[in-house]
PDB file of all heavy atoms in Angstrom:
ATOM      1  N   ARG A  11    -207.664 268.214 117.471  1.00 56.00           N
ATOM      2  CA  ARG A  11    -208.165 269.062 116.398  1.00 56.00           C
ATOM      3  C   ARG A  11    -209.128 270.097 116.962  1.00 56.00           C
ATOM      4  O   ARG A  11    -209.886 269.827 117.881  1.00 56.00           O
ATOM      5  CB  ARG A  11    -208.891 268.230 115.367  1.00 56.00           C
ATOM      6  CG  ARG A  11    -207.956 267.355 114.589  1.00 56.00           C
ATOM      7  CD  ARG A  11    -208.712 266.360 113.797  1.00 56.00           C
ATOM      8  NE  ARG A  11    -209.014 266.827 112.447  1.00 56.00           N
ATOM      9  CZ  ARG A  11    -209.759 266.138 111.613  1.00 56.00           C
ATOM     10  NH1 ARG A  11    -210.307 265.004 111.984  1.00 56.00           N
ATOM     11  NH2 ARG A  11    -209.967 266.585 110.413  1.00 56.00           N
ATOM     12  N   PRO A  12    -209.127 271.266 116.418  1.00 58.00           N
ATOM     13  CA  PRO A  12    -210.091 272.268 116.877  1.00 58.00           C
ATOM     14  C   PRO A  12    -211.517 271.823 116.572  1.00 58.00           C
ATOM     15  O   PRO A  12    -211.760 270.994 115.701  1.00 58.00           O
ATOM     16  CB  PRO A  12    -209.728 273.516 116.077  1.00 58.00           C
ATOM     17  CG  PRO A  12    -208.552 273.192 115.245  1.00 58.00           C
ATOM     18  CD  PRO A  12    -208.211 271.758 115.419  1.00 58.00           C
ATOM     19  N   LEU A  13    -212.468 272.371 117.310  1.00 57.00           N
ATOM     20  CA  LEU A  13    -213.866 271.963 117.182  1.00 57.00           C
ATOM     21  C   LEU A  13    -214.418 272.204 115.783  1.00 57.00           C
ATOM     22  O   LEU A  13    -215.249 271.457 115.296  1.00 57.00           O
ATOM     23  CB  LEU A  13    -214.734 272.699 118.192  1.00 57.00           C
ATOM     24  CG  LEU A  13    -214.531 272.316 119.647  1.00 57.00           C
ATOM     25  CD1 LEU A  13    -215.421 273.171 120.531  1.00 57.00           C
ATOM     26  CD2 LEU A  13    -214.859 270.852 119.850  1.00 57.00           C
ATOM     27  N   SER A  14    -213.968 273.238 115.138  1.00 59.00           N
ATOM     28  CA  SER A  14    -214.518 273.563 113.828  1.00 59.00           C
ATOM     29  C   SER A  14    -214.104 272.541 112.767  1.00 59.00           C
ATOM     30  O   SER A  14    -214.757 272.395 111.763  1.00 59.00           O
ATOM     31  CB  SER A  14    -214.095 274.968 113.411  1.00 59.00           C
ATOM     32  OG  SER A  14    -212.688 275.014 113.292  1.00 59.00           O
ATOM     33  N   ARG A  15    -213.020 271.805 113.010  1.00 61.00           N
ATOM     34  CA  ARG A  15    -212.540 270.844 112.022  1.00 61.00           C
ATOM     35  C   ARG A  15    -213.036 269.431 112.309  1.00 61.00           C
ATOM     36  O   ARG A  15    -212.776 268.533 111.545  1.00 61.00           O
ATOM     37  CB  ARG A  15    -211.022 270.850 111.992  1.00 61.00           C
ATOM     38  CG  ARG A  15    -210.461 272.129 111.456  1.00 61.00           C
ATOM     39  CD  ARG A  15    -208.989 272.003 111.302  1.00 61.00           C
ATOM     40  NE  ARG A  15    -208.406 273.284 110.904  1.00 61.00           N
ATOM     41  CZ  ARG A  15    -207.134 273.500 110.825  1.00 61.00           C
ATOM     42  NH1 ARG A  15    -206.281 272.547 111.115  1.00 61.00           N
ATOM     43  NH2 ARG A  15    -206.692 274.676 110.454  1.00 61.00           N
ATOM     44  N   ARG A  16    -213.671 269.220 113.404  1.00 60.00           N
ATOM     45  CA  ARG A  16    -214.167 267.883 113.709  1.00 60.00           C
ATOM     46  C   ARG A  16    -215.317 267.538 112.780  1.00 60.00           C
ATOM     47  O   ARG A  16    -216.129 268.398 112.447  1.00 60.00           O
ATOM     48  CB  ARG A  16    -214.637 267.793 115.155  1.00 60.00           C
ATOM     49  CG  ARG A  16    -213.493 267.751 116.115  1.00 60.00           C
ATOM     50  CD  ARG A  16    -213.972 267.397 117.472  1.00 60.00           C
ATOM     51  NE  ARG A  16    -212.857 267.475 118.397  1.00 60.00           N
ATOM     52  CZ  ARG A  16    -212.963 267.379 119.689  1.00 60.00           C
ATOM     53  NH1 ARG A  16    -214.147 267.225 120.241  1.00 60.00           N
ATOM     54  NH2 ARG A  16    -211.922 267.438 120.454  1.00 60.00           N
ATOM     55  N   PRO A  17    -215.435 266.314 112.382  1.00 60.00           N
ATOM     56  CA  PRO A  17    -216.554 265.940 111.512  1.00 60.00           C
ATOM     57  C   PRO A  17    -217.877 266.033 112.257  1.00 60.00           C
ATOM     58  O   PRO A  17    -217.966 265.744 113.442  1.00 60.00           O
ATOM     59  CB  PRO A  17    -216.244 264.503 111.106  1.00 60.00           C
ATOM     60  CG  PRO A  17    -215.147 264.038 112.002  1.00 60.00           C
ATOM     61  CD  PRO A  17    -214.512 265.230 112.638  1.00 60.00           C
ATOM     62  N   ALA A  18    -218.917 266.452 111.552  1.00 59.00           N
ATOM     63  CA  ALA A  18    -220.240 266.650 112.168  1.00 59.00           C
ATOM     64  C   ALA A  18    -221.005 265.343 112.115  1.00 59.00           C
ATOM     65  O   ALA A  18    -221.570 264.970 111.090  1.00 59.00           O
ATOM     66  CB  ALA A  18    -220.999 267.749 111.451  1.00 59.00           C
TER      67      ALA A  18
END
Side-chain angles (χ1 to χ4, degrees):
R11 290 168 92 185
L13 291 178
S14 63
R15 292 187 186 173
R16 286 191 185 172

